[in-house]
Amino acid sequence: MSRAGKKKPVGFATHITAGGLAGGMEALCCQPLDTIKVRMQLSKSGLAPGTKPRGFIATGILIVRRETPLALYKGLGAVLSGIVPKMAIRFASFETYKGWLADKTTGNTSVGSIFIAGLAAGTTEAVAVVTPMEVVKIRLQAQQHSLADPLEAPRYRNAGHAVYTIIREEGIATLYRGVSLTALRQATNQGANFTAYQEIKKLAHRYQPELQELPSYQHMIIGLISGAMGPFSNAPIDTIKTRLQKATAEPGQSAFQRIQLIASDMWRQEGVRSFYKGITPRVLRVAPGQAIVFAVYERVSTMIEKLKVTTSEDHYSE
């Protein structure tokens, strides 16, 4: 068994602390790319004859010029308020599911079991935290008001006001609009993400048996590679989900009918490329984001576990 496989499982408090810090760092670094991605997914640019869809650099420049650089961080409050429970649930549930699926005699987990554990962890976080957080975030990001002009009042002032307004005007169920698509996206994301991360990490340990812990830069590289897997596999799901969560519901329409209508309109009016709108900023956001998450998570969790051991030894030596 590799050194990585001999490590004791970390506690739930460690998942909360390390995951929360990792997620907060990711959000602060990558939120501008997420805002650009959402604007691109909602954009209808390029529909006029002879015009091309606006690229991610042009979209970013347009946001900054019209709405000030701070507009790139619209929706950050919604992201930060949900990042601690999201990351805690992601890592804690993944380890729990992985433990359930491990071989009872050897304790080893197969690649297939890791993938299933990742799928289940992604679904869990989508239902518990991600869907309502993203509905609020997308509503805030979709507002094209200038932060430099106090007379240009936005519909939603902040994350808390957005939640209050959405529940009052559209009902609490609106916060869970697109939950099936979000769960599907998060499940495929985390299935690919955790499987690639765990397997590449095992490979790194195999080629460096002298290392007890991999250095942070290696965790970042592994996280970068694994983080890029999901966006390419589920870009159409994410684009449809974004449009569904931004729109208001039509009376008498089921969620499936709304999804079908959005997808058919995109296909008919904008073509197959519309399903991959925002893929560049999404990959540029998700892949480095996962590099940051895994590097910070591994470092913080290792520090916490070492601190626990030191505290325990000091206690018994008294």
Side-chain angles (χ1 to χ4, degrees):
M1 187 184 291
S2 67
R3 291 180 186 273
K6 294 178 181 177
K7 287 175 67 178
K8 292 181 180 179
V10 299
F12 188 74
T14 303
H15 290 304
I16 294 174
T17 308
L21 288 171
M25 188 64 69
E26 179 210 13
L28 289 170
C29 293
C30 302
Q31 182 67 9
L33 287 166
D34 189 69
T35 299
I36 294 169
K37 179 213 75 168
V38 167
R39 288 292 182 85
M40 287 179 72
Q41 290 176 332
L42 296 174
S43 172
K44 300 294 178 69
S45 66
L47 289 181
T51 62
K52 291 182 179 180
R54 194 179 295 116
F56 83 99
I57 294 176
T59 301
I61 291 171
L62 190 66
I63 292 170
V64 170
R65 188 186 302 139
R66 282 184 179 175
E67 307 169 48
T68 79
L70 283 175
L72 293 170
Y73 284 90
K74 284 180 178 178
L76 180 62
V79 174
L80 288 175
S81 64
I83 209 76
V84 173
K86 171 186 170 181
M87 289 299 173
I89 288 168
R90 175 181 296 179
F91 284 102
S93 63
F94 171 72
E95 292 297 335
T96 301
Y97 296 136
K98 192 174 77 166
W100 289 347
L101 294 167
D103 187 288
K104 300 302 180 230
T105 54
T106 64
N108 294 333
T109 314
S110 67
V111 176
S113 294
I114 290 173
F115 182 71
I116 293 169
L119 288 176
T123 303
T124 303
E125 72 176 18
V127 174
V129 178
V130 177
T131 303
M133 181 184 77
E134 290 211 343
V135 170
V136 174
K137 174 183 72 71
I138 287 167
R139 294 290 183 95
L140 290 167
Q141 288 174 322
Q143 297 185 122
Q144 301 192 27
H145 66 288
S146 174
L147 297 177
D149 185 357
L151 297 178
E152 195 175 343
R155 176 173 172 75
Y156 308 116
R157 294 192 297 272
N158 51 49
H161 181 249
V163 171
Y164 171 76
T165 305
I166 291 167
I167 292 174
R168 188 190 65 194
E169 295 182 358
E170 302 175 58
I172 196 168
T174 303
L175 293 174
Y176 282 88
R177 182 172 297 155
V179 65
S180 58
L181 290 176
T182 305
L184 185 58
R185 185 199 65 183
Q186 292 302 112
T188 51
N189 265 351
Q190 301 317 320
N193 194 9
F194 276 115
T195 305
Y197 185 81
Q198 297 270 323
E199 291 307 304
I200 298 171
K201 187 178 169 184
K202 285 178 188 175
L203 193 65
H205 274 291
R206 196 175 302 141
Y207 282 100
Q208 303 167 104
E210 73 283 359
L211 294 180
Q212 183 68 32
E213 294 288 342
L214 296 177
S216 291
Y217 81 89
Q218 291 190 21
H219 286 302
M220 289 195 78
I221 293 170
I222 298 168
L224 187 76
I225 296 167
S226 64
M229 303 288 183
F232 284 112
S233 65
N234 56 30
I237 297 168
D238 188 57
T239 304
I240 296 169
K241 177 201 70 70
T242 297
R243 296 199 179 191
L244 178 70
Q245 291 177 325
K246 193 261 180 184
T248 54
E250 293 292 331
Q253 262 189 352
S254 67
F256 179 75
Q257 286 173 327
R258 288 197 297 271
I259 292 168
Q260 194 175 36
L261 183 64
I262 289 168
S264 61
D265 282 347
M266 286 172 65
W267 179 271
R268 187 173 60 255
Q269 295 179 22
E270 303 170 64
V272 69
R273 288 181 63 182
S274 67
F275 292 93
Y276 288 86
K277 277 187 173 180
I279 186 65
T280 303
R282 187 173 174 224
V283 171
L284 289 176
R285 185 228 182 280
V286 173
Q290 290 308 301
I292 294 166
V293 164
F294 279 114
V296 174
Y297 177 83
E298 295 276 6
R299 179 59 56 193
V300 174
S301 60
T302 299
M303 287 170 61
I304 292 172
E305 292 305 303
K306 283 181 179 177
L307 186 63
K308 281 183 183 177
V309 172
T310 304
T311 305
S312 178
E313 288 174 352
D314 289 345
H315 174 75
Y316 284 114
S317 64
E318 290 175 357

